[in-house]
Amino acid sequence: DLRGAFGHIKPKKVLLVLGISVFSIYLLTGVYVVNPGEQAVVRRFGRISNQSVGEGLHYRLPWPIDQVQKVNVSEVRRADIGMSLPEHIHQPDEEPQAIQLLTGDENIITTQAIVHYKVSDAAKFLYGVNGNSEQLVRYSVEASLVRLMANTAVDDILGTEKTAAQNEILKLAQETLDGYDAGIQITAFNIQEIVPPDTVSDAFLDVTTAKEEKETAINEANGYYN
């Protein structure tokens, strides 16, 4: 009965159909989707085969020939400078440390800042730099802070030059990251606080208050004169 029921089936033909089906399914595993806001990098036998791939439906050779890694390039990431906010969790060895800077007129100040950045090139971000992206951004900004503050008087950075200093630090830090081919774009840099050491903070506050009173007196005098 079994021979009568299955005798017409040719084993070679069945194996051929199964082989073609399995191979077709294997080829279809190479189809992948890059979601909006993502970039993908295709590696062929470990080497990058092309530049970052944009969103949409794409095809690459199945594993183990090609492999795909995706990076969210629309996500705004953050690096803390000189402080650690409770909602931003760090590993023990990645905890931001307080930094003290020497200004151009030989005063010491403590600075706290926040940097926002995004991934601009997924391939460079994944393989251009071997390290933690947040630490790299943090170190680049800290180096720029040291460089700028060394040529800026403390009264200027505490007063009218703060905005200009922020823009210059962002520019210097971005140049450093571009030099590393890090694939990172700084989108915002904001100095949260610039304070002198505790031992002289009262004296600095007195000076700042005196300057504000001076400006107020000048404005009132000009108003009376007019």
Side-chain angles (χ1 to χ4, degrees):
D1 293 338
L2 290 174
R3 287 178 180 177
F6 300 101
H8 66 284
I9 298 177
K10 297 180 179 180
K12 291 183 179 180
K13 186 176 181 180
V14 172
L15 292 175
L16 179 62
V17 172
L18 287 176
I20 293 174
S21 300
V22 171
F23 185 70
S24 300
I25 294 173
Y26 173 70
L27 290 178
L28 288 174
T29 60
V31 177
Y32 67 99
V33 177
V34 180
N35 296 319
E38 291 183 339
Q39 282 185 3
V41 179
V42 179
R43 290 184 298 138
R44 179 162 297 168
F45 297 119
R47 176 175 294 189
I48 299 175
S49 61
N50 53 22
Q51 297 301 317
S52 301
V53 180
E55 60 186 60
L57 185 66
H58 303 278
Y59 184 82
R60 46 87 178 174
L61 295 178
W63 183 90
I65 301 173
D66 287 350
Q67 291 179 293
V68 176
Q69 283 184 276
K70 301 176 186 178
V71 178
N72 190 338
V73 296
S74 63
E75 177 187 4
V76 178
R77 307 162 191 249
R78 191 182 78 188
D80 300 332
I81 310 297
M83 62 177 178
S84 181
L85 299 179
E87 66 271 16
H88 198 184
I89 301 174
H90 300 89
Q91 297 298 325
D93 58 339
E94 299 175 0
E95 193 78 17
Q97 302 297 319
I99 56 173
Q100 289 187 332
L101 304 171
L102 185 66
T103 63
D105 51 358
E106 299 184 350
N107 285 286
I108 295 176
I109 58 174
T110 301
T111 305
Q112 296 180 348
I114 292 178
V115 186
H116 291 98
Y117 65 97
K118 297 169 66 175
V119 177
S120 58
D121 189 297
K124 292 180 179 180
F125 177 76
L126 289 172
Y127 307 110
V129 178
N130 181 20
N132 182 288
S133 63
E134 181 180 333
Q135 284 185 323
L136 178 61
V137 172
R138 188 191 308 151
Y139 294 156
S140 299
V141 171
E142 288 177 357
S144 302
L145 277 166
V146 171
R147 178 178 172 183
L148 182 70
M149 295 301 179
N151 298 299
T152 306
V154 66
D155 291 338
D156 293 336
I157 195 63
L158 289 173
T160 58
E161 298 300 317
K162 180 180 177 181
T163 302
Q166 290 182 156
N167 295 333
E168 183 64 19
I169 291 167
L170 189 153
K171 177 184 175 183
L172 293 173
Q174 187 62 58
E175 290 176 354
T176 301
L177 293 171
D178 292 342
Y180 284 124
D181 270 345
I184 294 174
Q185 179 70 43
I186 298 177
T187 59
F189 172 72
N190 183 35
I191 296 177
Q192 298 291 104
E193 191 174 35
I194 300 177
V195 294
D198 294 338
T199 53
V200 294
S201 60
D202 291 339
F204 269 86
L205 181 60
D206 291 341
V207 172
T208 303
T209 302
K211 286 186 175 182
E212 292 175 352
E213 291 175 351
K214 172 186 174 182
E215 293 298 324
T216 301
I218 291 174
N219 292 333
E220 289 177 351
N222 286 333
Y224 179 73
Y225 171 81
N226 291 331

